[in-house]
Amino acid sequence: MRIIAGTWRGRRLMAPEGAAVRPTSDRVREALFGILAHAPAWRRPAGPLPLDAVVLDAFAGTGAAGIEALSRGARAAIFLERDAEAAALIRRNLRQLGAEQQGQVVERDATHPGRASRAADLVLLDPPYRSGLAALALVELAEGGWLAPEAAAVVETEDREAFEAPDGFELVDRRRYGRAALHFLRRVAAQ
């Protein structure tokens, strides 16, 4: 597994052995960040996402998505990961890149995150396939203050897995990449 673009382009990340963690493929990460960088829906005064954004990588696993965001100009990344071994791996990956100051690893479950210390402009969620946890996590993260008022969210699911945008979020786009589907959402004000 490697970083696709940016400051650390081509650098390899450590990944656990076995099937406990399923990292987002290089191809899917490249597509995800390409869409965020070039689609008009994601333009902001600061520039395209993730430039100068605070990014939340929920169900972080190896931290590859959040680290990719840092490499592409994110100001900071918060990694939510409940598994202690995976959290330790993220810390090692950040240390290897000299990015400990930019990345914060929080050992919590994304479906029970508690209160946030800062809100993210972009949240990347990659829950276990067919778990049905993405919508619940988005709601809990929003209620816990983890998301800025108009935050963008990208949820990865298995292609055939049903996913509905929860209340407070609007589905902007959906793309398929082999077995994976990416759902692009924007947080919207309560009606």
Side-chain angles (χ1 to χ4, degrees):
M1 183 171 49
R2 64 186 173 84
I3 299 170
I4 306 300
T7 305
W8 303 311
R9 180 183 179 172
R11 298 277 299 268
R12 294 220 172 264
L13 297 174
M14 293 178 272
E17 294 187 21
V21 173
R22 177 200 39 79
T24 299
S25 73
D26 291 355
R27 177 177 171 240
V28 173
R29 267 187 295 116
E30 184 171 17
L32 180 161
F33 285 101
I35 291 166
L36 290 175
H38 300 293
W42 309 113
R43 290 275 177 215
R44 311 168 299 139
L49 285 169
L51 188 65
D52 199 36
V54 174
V55 176
L56 174 62
D57 186 350
F59 301 98
T62 63
I67 291 171
E68 184 76 36
L70 288 172
S71 182
R72 292 172 182 253
R75 180 174 4 119
I78 304 161
F79 301 87
L80 270 183
E81 176 54 56
R82 71 178 186 176
D83 182 79
E85 287 183 36
L89 180 70
I90 296 167
R91 287 185 187 97
R92 285 197 302 272
N93 279 327
L94 290 168
R95 194 174 319 114
Q96 158 189 301
L97 296 167
E100 302 97 328
Q101 298 302 312
Q102 292 173 273
Q104 175 190 6
V105 180
V106 179
E107 290 185 44
R108 291 189 197 161
D109 186 328
T111 62
H112 303 288
R115 295 296 308 161
S117 59
R118 78 194 295 189
D121 306 299
L122 170 64
V123 60
L124 307 170
L125 285 95
D126 185 11
Y129 280 179
R130 298 181 184 244
S131 66
L133 296 175
L136 171 63
L138 278 173
V139 169
E140 293 297 322
L141 290 166
E143 288 179 4
W146 293 88
L147 305 180
E150 293 182 7
V154 182
V155 175
E156 180 179 341
T157 64
E158 187 176 47
D159 177 44
R160 295 182 185 155
E161 184 176 347
F163 174 77
E164 296 284 329
D167 287 345
F169 292 87
E170 170 189 22
L171 183 64
V172 176
D173 196 1
R174 181 182 187 274
R175 306 280 179 103
R176 288 180 28 205
Y177 300 93
R179 231 183 113 205
L182 294 177
H183 309 267
F184 294 82
L185 303 104
R186 181 173 306 286
R187 188 172 181 202
V188 293
Q191 312 262 332

